Structures are given as C-alpha cells and as structure tokens.
C-alpha cells in the first residue's frame, strides 16, 4: 500500500480490508468485531429475510440502558420523593423530558419489536436446525429467546411502578392480585412481590433493584448467549439448505485436497466458488446495515419523544382509577382473567388462577417446546411461509390473532367497572353508581 494511501487511512480511520485474509484478521484481532463472523451469507444481510428485527430490538435495549443510566442520576426510589423527582426530570432538568420520553418510548417499542422478531423467526421456521449442521442447536436459542421475551416484559413492567403515580400503583396492584391467586403459595408470592402485606416503600425498593440491576444483568447475559448461539448455529437459518448435491463433484485422484475438501467430497475450488457466490464480507457490507438499523431506531425513538407520555396523579391507595388497566402488553391477560371469572348465584370464582397463571403458563411452555414438537422438513428451515409448514403457521397466527383481539377489547372497549363500551358510547359520569 502506498505511503499516501496509508496516511489518508490513518487520518480518517477509513480502513477497509484489501483481501479476505485482512478482513478475517481484523475480526480475529478485534474483540468487538470478533462477535461477528468474517463472512456472512447474502441472505443473512438482506433486508427482506430477517427485517433486522433482532438487531432493532438490540438497538432499543442499548437506548434503554443509556437513557436509564441518565435517569438514575435524578430519580430517588422513595415513595415520598419518587413522583417529584420524575416531575423534576419533566420540568426542571434540561432536556430531562426528552430523556424520559426516549426511555418510555423505547420500552414500548422493545416489547413490540421483540414480539415481531419472534413472529418472523416462527414464520421462517428458523427455530429448527437442519441435520447437515451438527453443531447447531436452534431450539435452544428459541428457548433463550422465549426467556428474553419474558424478561423484556418484566423489565417494562417493573419500570411502570417507578414514577409512583396512579397508573403505576394500579398496574402493580392488578399483577400482585393475580399472583395471589396461585394455589398454596399465592400469598407468599404476593408478599414477596410487595415486600410486605401492603404496597409501599418496600415494594418500590424491590422493583427498583429488579429494574435497574437484576433484570438488565440477566438480560445482557442472555443476549450475549443468544448472539453467540447464532454463530454456533452457523449463522441465520437457511444457510445450510444450499443443495450440496448439486455442487458435489468426484474428487480428482491426481490431486491432493485439504481435509475439509475431502471430507465434504468437494473439490476445494468448487467449494470456494459455492461459498463465494452466496456470501459477502461482514465488514463493511453487513456492518453498514447494523449501523443503519441502530441509527434508524434511534432516530425513530427521538421522533416519537416529541409526543407526550403520561404522568398521572401521585399514587394513592385511597382512590382507585376506574377502569384500572394493566400495561397494553398484559391487557390480553387481564381480559383472560375477566373471561375466566365466573359468577354463579352470588358466588364468584376468581379467574386469576386460570386466566392469569394456568393458561399463560401452558401457552409459554407450549411455545418454548414447540421446536421439539414441530416435524417440518429440513428444506423448510429459513424460508418464509414454506408450503410444508401451513398448519404450524396457521396455529401460530391463530394464537396471535386471539391475543390481538383480547388486547383490543382491553385497550379500546373496556370502560368503567370493566364494562364494554363502544368507541362512540360515552362513559357514565359516576361509574361507581352503575
Ligand atoms: C432481547 C430480546 C432479543 C434480542 C436482542 C434478539 C436478538 C437477535 C438478533 C440480533 C438476531 C439475528 C437475526 C435478526 O436480527 O433477526 C436473532 C436471531 C434469533 N432470535 Fe432473537 N433476539 C431477542 C429475542 C428473541 C425471542 C423472543 C425469540 C423467540 C422466542 C428469539 C429467537 C431467535 C432465533 C431462533 C434466532 C435465529 C434466527 C435464524 O437463525 O434465522 N429471539 N435474535
């Protein structure tokens, strides 16, 4: 490389590899880049296959961590001061309102995007490993994903309590009541969640510690494991489905081959061409896309942060908001609890156990173990709506539609005393008198 070229590169840090070897070395010698492979398939880096939804979820988690640390400088987890520190963030601290809104919008978006990412993985059958790759264990990564989904919701939910306003208090009360309906240990679980028999200072401290330390650390650990597994699994699903037979040739007996070439029964040159056709370098081709995903996500969160987010009246156990609704991603559960609450001649069978614990528990276990139940063929792995996976996709989409309908009822139609009100119907002025 000429001296001028070297100097220009050193000045602007615009190094780009001149050969595949240089690219591989750059990744091997760099801790951060080592996370990614030197080469990835064209399919993995296309916008259309994964829609980069996992990367967007990761970007949202990073935004949450950064803005969360800034909020910690001002927030005090005391029931006397918490609400007022949030007011300070909104109205006194320079650009505090912006940081708070970014944090809240990113939290909502992360729940939404982690769900979209899961839907994409399901519909492409990417939770299965094909038999060609013996190191792959995608079902395990799917299970890690299910735990990440639950953690994402818990992170958002624990954050809900922290402003110590009415919205927070009653969202937590609903959760604690559902936990209390667990047979035998219900009361103990509720006691643990509240840090006592009543919601108060202990509750706030417990949820604060969970929100800022315990849950983020577990989530970071699992994200690292999730990403590492993607590499162990040979990259995104579908890569191994390249039909090996079509490119396989008889080894030439007059030549010697590398161990890899001989074991695969493929001439090294043929192997090389096959790989070259289907792959590109991670740096810069895919890295640029990672950066675009991060920048685009940050820009979208910043844009949304110009729209207000609620901060209700300070929390008060004396006055119950009517209706008291759970956060939007738990509304389908609140609706399930309502549906399974049965009133027969003066007796009420609380649906907390069936609707709040049993049905969601069975559902999550079923979804986590699904890759072991599903028997779709290797050729379907990594392909959107493959024709051999029609019934699998139908079952999954059916579940999503049911959850969406229940959430819609909870979000839009439920009014005072948890009655159904059409959007054009006015709510009664004195609901308690109904
Ligand atoms: C904090 C939450 C999560 C983060 C940050 C995350 C991140 C990622 C990223 C960056 C990828 C690479 C491909 C892509 O961008 O789509 C990926 C792939 C994958 N994720 Fe996630 N993910 C999360 C949650 C989940 C959930 C909830 C599931 C499923 C229950 C899941 C299952 C998978 C699987 C199986 C793959 C491999 C897909 C393939 O081979 O095509 N992940 N994840």
């Amino acid at each position: 490389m000429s001296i001028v070229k070297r100097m220009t590169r050193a000045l602007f840090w615009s190094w780009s590899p001149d050969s595949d070897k240089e690219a591989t070395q750059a990744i091997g010698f760099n801790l951060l880049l080592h996370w990614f492979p030197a080469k990835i398939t064209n399919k993995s880096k296309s916008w259309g296959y994964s829609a980069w939804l996992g990367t967007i979820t990761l970007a949202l988690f990073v935004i949450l961590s950064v803005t969360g640390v800034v909020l910690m400088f001002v927030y005090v987890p005391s029931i006397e001061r918490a609400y007022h520190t949030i007011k300070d963030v909104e109205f006194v601290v320079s650009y505090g309102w912006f940081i708070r809104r970014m944090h809240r919008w990113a939290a909502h978006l992360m729940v939404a995007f982690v769900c979209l990412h899961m839907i994409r993985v399901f519909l492409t059958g990417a939770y299965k490993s094909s038999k060609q790759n013996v190191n792959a264990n995608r079902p395990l990564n799917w299970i890690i994903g299910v735990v990440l989904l639950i953690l994402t919701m818990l992170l958002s939910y624990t954050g809900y309590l922290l402003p110590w306003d009415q919205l927070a208090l009653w969202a937590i009360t609903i959760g604690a009541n559902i936990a209390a309906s667990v047979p035998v240990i219900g009361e103990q679980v509720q006691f643990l969640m509240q840090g006592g028999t009543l919601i108060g200072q202990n509750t706030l401290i417990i949820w604060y510690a969970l929100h800022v330390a315990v849950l983020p650390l577990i989530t970071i650990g699992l994200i690292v494991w999730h990403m590492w597994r993607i590499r162990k699994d040979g990259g995104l699903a579908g890569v191994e489905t390249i039909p090996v037979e079509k490119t396989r040739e008889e080894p030439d007996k007059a030549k010697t081959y590398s161990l890899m070439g001989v074991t695969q029964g493929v001439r090294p040159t043929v192997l090389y061409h096959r790989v070259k056709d289907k792959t590109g370098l991670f740096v810069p081709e895919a890295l640029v896309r990672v950066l675009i995903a991060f920048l685009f996500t940050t820009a979208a969160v910043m844009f949304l942060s110009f729209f207000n987010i609620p901060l209700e009246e300070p929390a008060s156990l004396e006055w119950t908001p009517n209706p008291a609704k759970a956060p939007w991603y738990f509304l389908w559960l609140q609706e399930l609890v309502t549906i399974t609450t049965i009133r027969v001649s003066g007796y009420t069978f609380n649906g907390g156990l069936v609707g709040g614990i049993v049905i969601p528990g069975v559902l999550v276990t079923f979804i986590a173990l699904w890759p072991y139940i599903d028997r779709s063929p290797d050729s379907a792995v990594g392909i959107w709506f493959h024709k051999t996976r029609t019934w699998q996709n139908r079952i999954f989409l059916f579940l999503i539609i049911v959850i969406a309908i229940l959430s819609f009822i909870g979000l839009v139609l439920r009014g005072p005393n948890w009655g159904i009100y059409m959007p054009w119907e006015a709510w009664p002025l004195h609901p308690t008198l109904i």
Side-chain angles (χ1 to χ4, degrees), residues 237-249:
V239 176
E240 316 93 296
T241 54
I242 300 165
V244 175
E245 286 76 17
K246 282 192 187 153
T247 51
R248 191 171 281 169
E249 287 183 15

Side-chain angles (χ1 to χ4, degrees), residues 300-323:
V301 172
M302 289 175 101
F303 171 73
L304 283 173
S305 302
F306 287 101
F307 298 91
N308 204 357
I309 47 161
L311 178 63
E312 309 231 333
E313 297 294 306
S316 158
L317 281 165
E318 325 271 280
W319 175 70
T320 320
N322 192 0

Side-chain angles (χ1 to χ4, degrees), residues 49-50 52-58 110 114 117-118 120-121 124 126-127 138 141-142 145-146 148-149 152 219 223 226-227 230 235-237:
Y49 172 63
S50 71
W52 291 74
L53 294 169
T55 310
I56 293 174
T57 311
L58 185 63
M110 187 169 166
V114 78
H117 169 56
M118 182 183 182
R120 164 330 253 173
V121 171
T124 53
Y127 50 77
R138 285 211 183 82
N141 215 11
W142 171 263
V146 172
L148 278 172
L149 174 75
T152 305
T219 307
I223 289 179
H226 192 60
M227 305 302 289
I230 296 171
L236 295 195

Side-chain angles (χ1 to χ4, degrees), residues 159-227:
Y160 232 75
L161 181 75
L162 304 185
W164 204 247
D165 62 351
Q166 281 292 67
L167 193 71
L169 181 68
W170 291 99
I172 301 306
T173 310
I174 295 167
N177 287 344
I178 290 180
S181 58
V182 177
V184 192
I185 52 161
E187 274 181 28
Q188 282 84 342
V189 177
Q190 190 188 25
F191 191 88
L192 271 180
M193 276 177 78
Q194 295 180 172
T197 45
L198 288 178
I199 294 183
Q201 180 59 56
N202 289 351
T203 325
L204 185 55
I205 282 288
I206 290 175
W207 289 54
Y208 177 69
L210 287 174
H211 185 73
V212 305
V214 181
L215 295 173
L217 286 178
I218 302 177
T219 307
I220 290 170
L222 282 181
I223 289 179
V224 171
W225 192 14
H226 192 60
M227 305 302 289

